[in-house]
């Protein structure tokens, strides 16, 4: 019998979360679909992998064994895919990923002077794929915004910048010169609360266990459309907010919130001289925000 790696990936997500709802969110699929896939895997293996009650989801002995074997199986498959993608890329290219609002021109010019024979490619990333472009081999390095999953990566700090809250122009707080995070306690945050722990800790909707829906955003433009429509607020780095100005949304500084940390990241297993040299250049720059 062939093992379906997709089902194994679904299983590992549920086994790590021990909660079908959270695992479905993590995988960006509907919970009923995930439940059907797990039942299909159990039918194929002819074993019970989970014991589900009203209170908890627990692994069986067979489930614990599959989790132990499944993680390295998925890692090996991913490593093979990365090697194939990297082998397919044209020789003599170096790809730099970067997040919206970050200007990489100075670093690229300095690197090009050092390696004039290389073709430098730039890859715009998002919150959802700024790390994935390293894991799947699309980029050699990526300039990322924390927090990220740093497992398997080398991460070096570059700079930090202040953050602002994005509000529709008719919002009650839109005309304020600055705000404190407590002013936003009653608002709905259109992003992962863990990305803004200062808000998460005082948010009324989380305290009352009534979190509003957060759509999946593929870019900043989509997020700002929801802000402009009055569906909630968003906290962004200042440079991103400045880059995506529009007449129906305003950026207001937040006085008591931590800065956004920008770092350079690459796969820990990569030892290429070009990566080391680009890192030296990027770390040595004075970045403008």
């Amino acid at each position: 019998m062939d093992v379906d790696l997709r089902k194994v990936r679904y299983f590992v997500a549920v086994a790590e979360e021990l909660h079908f709802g959270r695992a479905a969110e993590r995988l960006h699929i509907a919970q009923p679909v995930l439940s059907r896939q797990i039942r299909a895997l159990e039918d194929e293996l002819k074993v019970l992998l989970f014991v589900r009650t009203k209170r908890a989801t627990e692994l069986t002995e067979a489930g614990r064994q599959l989790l132990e074997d499944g993680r390295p199986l998925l890692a090996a498959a991913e490593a093979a895919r990365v090697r194939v993608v990297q082998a397919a890329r044209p020789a003599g290219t170096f790809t730099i990923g970067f997040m919206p609002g970050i200007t990489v021109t100075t670093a690229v010019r300095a690197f090009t002077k050092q390696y004039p024979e290389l073709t430098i490619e730039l890859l715009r990333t998002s919150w959802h794929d700024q790390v994935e472009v390293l894991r799947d081999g699309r980029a050699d390095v990526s300039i990322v915004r924390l927090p990220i999953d740093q497992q398997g990566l080398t991460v070096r700090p570059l700079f930090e910048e202040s953050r602002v809250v994005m509000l529709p122009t008719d919002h009650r707080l839109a005309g304020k010169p600055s705000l404190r995070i407590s002013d936003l306690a009653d608002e709905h945050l259109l992003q992962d609360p863990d990305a803004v722990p200062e808000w998460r800790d005082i948010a009324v909707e989380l305290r009352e266990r009534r979190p509003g829906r957060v759509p999946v955003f593929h870019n900043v433009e989509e997020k700002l459309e929801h802000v402009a429509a009055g569906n909630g607020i968003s906290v962004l780095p200042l440079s991103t907010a400045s880059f995506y100005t529009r007449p129906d949304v305003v950026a207001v500084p937040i006085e008591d919130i931590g800065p956004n940390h920008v770092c350079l990241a690459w796969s820990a297993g990569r030892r290429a001289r070009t990566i080391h040299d680009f890192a030296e250049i990027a770390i040595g720059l004075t970045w403008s925000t």
Side-chain angles (χ1 to χ4, degrees):
M1 180 191 69
D2 294 329
V3 177
D4 185 337
L5 290 179
R6 179 170 54 87
K7 291 192 183 78
V8 173
R9 180 164 59 86
Y10 289 174
F11 161 78
V12 169
V14 178
E16 290 178 344
E17 299 288 346
L18 289 178
H19 189 283
F20 276 74
R22 289 195 298 268
E25 291 180 4
R26 169 174 154 183
L27 294 164
H28 304 294
I29 62 173
Q31 184 173 334
V33 174
L34 177 59
S35 297
R36 287 196 297 271
Q37 292 296 313
I38 295 300
R39 283 197 299 270
L41 180 61
E42 289 177 324
D43 290 343
E44 291 170 8
L45 295 175
K46 296 181 173 53
V47 297
L48 187 66
L49 298 171
F50 296 100
V51 176
R52 299 175 69 177
T53 68
K54 291 183 178 179
R55 292 178 175 269
T57 297
E58 298 179 354
L59 284 165
T60 64
E61 190 61 36
R64 283 190 285 272
Q65 184 62 56
L66 182 57
L67 180 60
E68 182 180 336
D69 292 336
R71 282 170 171 155
L73 181 65
L74 292 175
E78 178 64 15
R81 186 172 70 85
V82 169
R83 288 193 294 270
V84 170
V85 171
Q86 290 174 339
R89 285 170 54 192
T93 64
F94 187 88
T95 302
I96 303 165
F98 66 99
M99 284 286 283
I102 299 174
T103 302
V104 298
T105 307
T106 303
V108 170
R109 285 179 173 173
F111 188 64
T112 300
K113 285 182 180 179
Q114 189 168 347
Y115 286 94
E117 74 281 4
L118 282 182
T119 298
I120 311 301
E121 297 182 348
L122 299 176
L123 177 63
R124 181 182 179 276
T125 61
S126 69
W127 283 106
H128 299 289
D129 68 359
Q130 59 175 337
V131 167
E132 292 310 308
V133 298
L134 298 173
R135 301 198 195 283
D136 64 20
R138 281 178 286 163
D140 295 285
V141 298
S142 187
I143 298 175
V144 301
R145 295 189 184 276
L146 300 186
I148 60 170
D149 177 7
Q150 299 188 25
Q151 183 176 359
L153 300 177
T154 299
V155 179
R156 295 289 182 267
L158 295 179
F159 64 94
E160 58 185 43
E161 61 174 315
S162 58
R163 293 189 287 173
V164 297
V165 60
M166 309 303 293
L167 304 170
T169 51
D170 59 354
H171 192 280
R172 61 187 175 84
L173 300 173
K176 300 285 187 179
S178 66
L179 298 171
R180 297 185 67 81
I181 196 67
S182 58
D183 296 325
L184 304 171
D186 291 323
E187 304 296 331
H188 173 50
L189 188 70
L190 292 170
Q191 61 203 97
D192 185 346
D194 288 342
V196 192
E198 299 91 344
W199 178 87
R200 179 198 61 202
D201 294 341
I202 54 94
V204 171
E205 69 175 35
L206 297 185
R207 207 164 55 238
E208 296 180 352
R209 299 184 183 278
R210 52 175 182 84
R213 176 176 173 268
V214 178
V216 175
F217 301 111
H218 299 96
N219 50 56
V220 178
E221 293 92 335
E222 290 180 5
K223 186 177 293 186
L224 292 182
E225 284 292 338
H226 280 267
V227 172
N231 296 331
I233 64 169
S234 182
V235 175
L236 296 179
L238 177 59
S239 63
T240 304
S242 300
F243 189 81
Y244 290 95
T245 56
R246 47 186 292 169
D248 51 1
V249 173
V250 296
V252 181
I254 308 174
E255 298 173 6
D256 55 344
I257 192 172
N260 175 240
H261 297 274
V262 177
C263 298
L264 180 69
W266 64 91
S267 295
R270 300 287 305 278
R271 297 287 187 269
R273 180 70 190 180
T274 48
I275 292 177
H276 172 80
D277 289 343
F278 183 83
E280 275 199 347
I281 290 171
I283 293 168
L285 286 177
T286 300
W287 291 79
S288 58
T289 59

